[in-house]
Amino acid sequence: MAKEYSGSPKPYQLENRRKRLTWVLGVSGLCIIFYILGAWQNTTPSASDRSSISNKEGCDGISSTTYQSSSLRTSSSSPSSSLDFESHHQVSSNDTSAGFQKFPACEMKFSEYTPCQDPKRARKFEKKMLIYRERHCPAKDELLRCLIPAPPGYKNPFPWPRSRDWAWYANVPHKELTIEKAVQNWIQVEGEKFRFPGGGTMFPRGADAYIDDINELIPLTSGKIRTALDTGCGVASWGAYLLSRNILAMSFAPRDTHEAQVQFALERGVPAMIGVLASERMPYPARSFDMAHCSRCLIPWYDFDGLFLIEVDRVLRPGGYWILSGPPIRWKKYWKGWERTQKDLNQEQDAIEDVARRVCWKKLIEKDDLAVWQKPINHIECQNNRKLYKTPHICKGDNPDTAWYKKMETCITPLPEVSDSSEVAGGSLDKWPERAMAVPPRITSGSIPGITAEKFQVDNDLWKKRVRHYKRIIETLAHGRYRNIMDMNANLGGFAAAMAEDPVWVMNVVPANSEHDTLGMIYERGFIGTYQDWCEAFSTYPRTYDMIHAVGVFSIYQDRCDISNILLEMDRILRPEGTVIFRDTVEVLVKIQGITEGMRWKSQIMDHESGPFNPEKILLAVKTYWTGEEAAQN
């Protein structure tokens, strides 16, 4: 007879269930206890934690502004402002077991020090072709290991757009240009301020009127022209007034007897670099600029077999324009004032016209003080013309984008091949502002290995998200506090694109030793930038950037050169109370933070915007305010 089943569990089954329940409750209880202990420990800051962002006396006894009074203020409403990455990682943000070095202030004579364009070092190099004015960087044992002081009375620049017309005299205390260029109305001193009336050597009616004259000859406001190059820029009034027409100009001039031309340009909030057309290529890729300009820039375009005009041709986009005003244009009217003979000026103009023809440019028009040439959209006709013009020949076997310490050549940079004479070599561009987000031709053509249209769109979305996060944790970023911004490792230019609607401009830097050269496609997007090896100094004056953005830079360079020298260079070009955003691994950021402790910076490591478990972190840092006057008193 079958045994009757009662439906009740066996005794040993009940016992097993009790044991499992007891085990689960015990483990859960232990987890809760350890969680409470961990939370209690993290809410009790160490002495170093309490002092890292607190108000304190500056290094070497110099009074510094506090972290909260500086330009970087973390929003209390932001979840990231209270995040503590230490509870998720074993390394401490204040782990300075190796000790940090306190960097002293440099002497005041170095207040405007430009390491790679130092006039004293320049005297050692030959003057032929202005080679002595090119980049000549100090050797490792010549590097300054001190902090460049701001001049006494230094003040934060006027916000844009007021800064276009005004600057503090104390920030760039030079009156030479107000005397030497007084008649040309470049710059005037009014009390404790400089005023920039917008005048220039060849535009006595002002830059605005001069640009309107150009607009009658070529379309400046259609969106077709976005990037421009101004060689021999003066105080960059041409570039300053182009900004209202949505044209972004790279102003380019040497450090010369007029000590502060590029410095004045950057003080005004206008893009500019120290540079010269001499023996080496300009640090820009081929086909970068929609327009190039020379207004009495005194460059001998016809000399050295037309070498300098050939270099302008390299960086000019297919269909781009070259504008020349000043000698020898309209020499029949001005020759007496230029203190040159009519024959000399006539020969110079003929020589320039000849070089332009030989590089296949077409002269569009010469009207009053302006002459305009246009580069062809492709080289089909140019190649046929080589039978007529034997020189310059078209370069072979060279990467036209190579521009870091690369000698110029007297050959025409070839344009990408086309199948039809009406086709734009390298691909046509959308008009601005659409081209900022359109997939650049260099990507659609597959010329940048590993970068696809899909990756480009993902990168754009990523940087929109990141910039929104930056604006939450840096309140002043969304309120016009910053104007001149540098992206030290620009990649695809996504950061600049995400900031495009703000009143800022971004210098997009592509490290010269990058795996992928993306600077050409950044220009195709309608932004500007340059190549740079961060083991060397940047070609700018001290205190010329309001914000620096550094993504993965120190992971790239930590095995190539001393990262403390890179940080000292960042300190040199950053304004007092300027902000730096670092993105890197925790280990790298801890090293950076330890070094910046000795540079009078204040900083805070924060979790990634995606959450605490992302190995990449953000370090926000502010350069505190101090001047050479204060340093001298201690």
Side-chain angles (χ1 to χ4, degrees):
M1 183 176 179
K3 185 180 291 185
E4 185 177 344
Y5 182 70
S6 66
S8 300
K10 295 178 180 179
Y12 68 86
Q13 291 177 321
L14 291 172
E15 184 63 25
N16 285 340
R17 289 184 181 179
R18 290 193 193 98
K19 287 180 179 180
R20 284 198 298 271
L21 182 60
T22 303
W23 183 83
V24 169
L25 291 174
V27 170
S28 300
L30 287 172
C31 288
I32 293 171
I33 291 169
F34 284 120
Y35 176 81
I36 293 171
L37 285 172
W40 176 79
Q41 286 179 334
N42 283 329
T43 55
T44 307
S46 65
S48 60
D49 292 331
R50 288 193 299 269
S51 63
S52 63
I53 310 295
S54 63
N55 299 350
K56 64 179 181 181
E57 189 76 358
C59 299
D60 302 327
I62 296 175
S63 178
S64 304
T65 55
T66 65
Y67 186 89
Q68 288 298 320
S69 66
S70 67
S71 58
L72 192 161
R73 295 174 184 264
T74 54
S75 170
S76 60
S77 62
S78 168
S80 296
S81 64
S82 59
L83 292 177
D84 182 2
F85 85 102
E86 292 174 2
S87 59
H88 309 289
H89 300 274
Q90 294 182 354
V91 63
S92 168
S93 65
N94 293 288
D95 179 10
T96 55
S97 56
F100 64 82
Q101 176 185 356
K102 282 189 175 183
F103 295 96
C106 302
E107 298 177 47
M108 270 303 298
K109 66 180 181 180
F110 292 109
S111 179
E112 294 178 359
Y113 182 54
T114 55
C116 297
Q117 286 88 9
D118 182 22
K120 290 184 179 179
R121 185 177 299 104
R123 297 189 193 117
K124 301 176 183 178
F125 298 89
E126 58 181 308
K127 293 190 175 181
K128 180 184 177 183
M129 292 181 67
L130 300 180
I131 288 174
Y132 75 106
R133 288 186 179 176
E134 291 183 316
R135 283 177 61 88
H136 302 292
C137 298
K140 186 176 180 180
D141 59 354
E142 296 177 301
L143 294 173
L144 287 182
R145 299 282 293 178
C146 54
L147 306 175
I148 302 298
Y154 180 89
K155 300 178 182 179
N156 283 331
F158 293 101
W160 183 265
R162 193 181 179 202
S163 65
R164 187 194 71 176
D165 302 326
W166 298 93
W168 295 109
Y169 173 78
N171 291 9
V172 192
H174 292 288
K175 291 185 178 180
E176 296 94 331
L177 286 176
T178 66
I179 299 169
E180 294 184 31
K181 302 294 181 180
V183 177
Q184 295 158 11
N185 219 21
W186 281 21
I187 183 173
Q188 298 173 355
V189 177
E190 295 187 6
E192 59 180 6
K193 297 188 289 289
F194 284 116
R195 186 169 73 86
F196 301 91
T201 307
M202 292 307 301
F203 30 97
R205 295 181 294 124
D208 241 353
Y210 176 79
I211 292 169
D212 286 340
D213 291 341
I214 295 174
N215 190 50
E216 292 179 4
L217 309 180
I218 58 176
L220 294 182
T221 56
S222 67
K224 181 181 177 182
I225 296 174
R226 166 61 179 173
T227 56
L229 175 69
D230 189 13
T231 51
C233 65
V235 294
S237 288
W238 187 71
Y241 282 84
L242 278 174
L243 287 165
S244 63
R245 295 157 173 88
N246 284 323
I247 296 175
L248 193 58
M250 175 74 80
S251 297
F252 190 78
R255 175 167 185 158
D256 57 11
T257 53
H258 305 312
E259 287 275 334
Q261 290 187 58
V262 167
Q263 191 175 15
F264 274 125
L266 287 158
E267 194 69 18
R268 299 174 71 181
V270 180
M273 283 182 65
I274 299 174
V276 64
L277 279 167
S279 69
E280 294 175 344
R281 287 179 173 179
M282 293 181 284
Y284 316 120
R287 313 193 314 273
S288 297
F289 298 98
D290 304 314
M291 174 172 62
H293 173 256
C294 163
S295 174
R296 200 173 186 180
C297 59
L298 306 180
I299 295 173
W301 298 111
Y302 51 89
D303 276 354
F304 312 111
D305 296 322
L307 183 68
F308 302 141
L309 208 58
I310 291 170
E311 172 63 2
V312 171
D313 177 78
R314 182 184 71 86
V315 300
L316 202 59
R317 278 198 54 75
Y321 303 96
W322 184 58
I323 301 165
L324 176 65
S325 65
I329 303 303
R330 212 180 184 187
W331 59 265
K332 292 179 181 179
K333 176 180 179 180
Y334 295 117
W335 68 275
K336 290 183 180 180
W338 289 339
E339 299 180 352
R340 292 173 61 184
T341 66
Q342 297 182 66
K343 180 180 178 181
D344 179 36
L345 287 163
N346 187 36
Q347 288 178 342
E348 180 181 343
Q349 179 151 359
D350 287 345
I352 290 174
E353 303 269 12
D354 181 60
V355 174
R357 280 192 299 270
R358 289 190 290 115
V359 295
C360 307
W361 292 0
K362 177 183 178 181
K363 188 172 184 180
L364 293 183
I365 192 169
E366 181 175 332
K367 182 180 179 183
D368 297 330
D369 296 344
L370 294 163
V372 182
W373 286 262
Q374 186 173 25
K375 180 177 177 175
I377 62 172
N378 58 59
H379 271 168
I380 289 181
E381 184 178 347
C382 186
Q383 289 171 334
N384 295 331
N385 285 343
R386 291 307 90 203
K387 299 174 183 178
L388 179 62
Y389 302 112
K390 300 300 181 183
T391 57
H393 63 276
I394 295 179
C395 304
K396 295 180 179 179
D398 179 36
N399 179 358
D401 290 344
T402 302
W404 186 249
Y405 291 121
K406 171 71 175 178
K407 293 295 182 183
M408 293 185 203
E409 297 179 275
T410 53
C411 56
I412 301 172
T413 300
L415 291 174
E417 293 185 4
V418 295
S419 57
D420 185 83
S421 60
S422 62
E423 185 181 347
V424 178
S428 59
L429 298 176
D430 290 354
K431 293 182 178 180
W432 181 265
E434 288 77 18
R435 74 189 262 191
M437 292 300 175
V439 181
R442 275 175 164 90
I443 291 180
T444 56
S445 67
S447 61
I448 306 177
I451 306 299
T452 63
E454 291 73 20
K455 289 184 178 179
F456 175 78
Q457 298 295 357
V458 168
D459 187 75
N460 281 339
D461 293 339
L462 175 67
W463 281 107
K464 288 177 184 177
K465 177 182 176 181
R466 288 180 170 180
V467 167
R468 285 196 299 268
H469 181 66
Y470 290 162
K471 290 180 177 179
R472 285 196 298 268
I473 63 176
I474 307 173
E475 293 176 351
T476 50
L477 181 58
H479 301 295
R481 164 65 178 82
Y482 306 97
R483 173 64 183 170
N484 303 350
I485 298 179
M486 174 180 286
D487 193 352
M488 292 178 69
N489 185 19
N491 193 22
L492 305 185
F495 171 73
M499 297 289 294
E501 294 183 1
D502 293 276
V504 304
W505 65 270
V506 178
M507 179 68 80
N508 293 280
V509 179
V510 171
N513 44 19
S514 292
E515 182 181 357
H516 299 305
D517 182 356
T518 56
L519 190 55
M521 57 82 59
I522 289 173
Y523 272 93
E524 288 178 339
R525 300 187 70 173
F527 304 114
I528 60 171
T530 183
Y531 295 111
Q532 171 69 25
D533 181 348
W534 285 114
C535 291
E536 299 180 359
F538 193 76
S539 291
T540 192
Y541 283 85
R543 302 173 300 281
T544 46
Y545 285 87
D546 305 298
M547 173 180 280
I548 300 177
H549 186 239
V551 179
V553 173
F554 292 87
S555 287
I556 296 172
Y557 281 96
Q558 64 179 337
D559 296 324
R560 295 180 181 173
C561 51
D562 188 340
I563 66 170
S564 65
N565 289 330
I566 301 177
L567 288 165
L568 286 170
E569 173 62 4
M570 293 171 72
D571 181 84
R572 184 184 75 87
I573 68 178
L574 188 65
R575 298 192 194 278
E577 297 190 315
T579 299
V580 182
I581 304 174
F582 299 91
R583 300 181 76 100
D584 225 308
T585 64
V586 172
E587 291 74 17
V588 171
L589 294 184
V590 168
K591 291 178 185 178
I592 293 170
Q593 190 177 46
I595 296 169
T596 60
E597 282 288 323
M599 292 168 47
R600 310 174 191 182
W601 290 17
K602 296 186 177 182
S603 61
Q604 179 179 1
I605 295 180
M606 307 176 74
D607 276 322
H608 191 274
E609 63 271 359
S610 65
F613 298 106
N614 193 307
E616 181 180 78
K617 302 298 171 187
I618 299 171
L619 173 63
L620 298 181
V622 169
K623 175 180 175 178
T624 58
Y625 179 89
W626 60 276
T627 70
E629 179 182 48
E630 291 170 332
Q633 294 174 355
N634 288 274

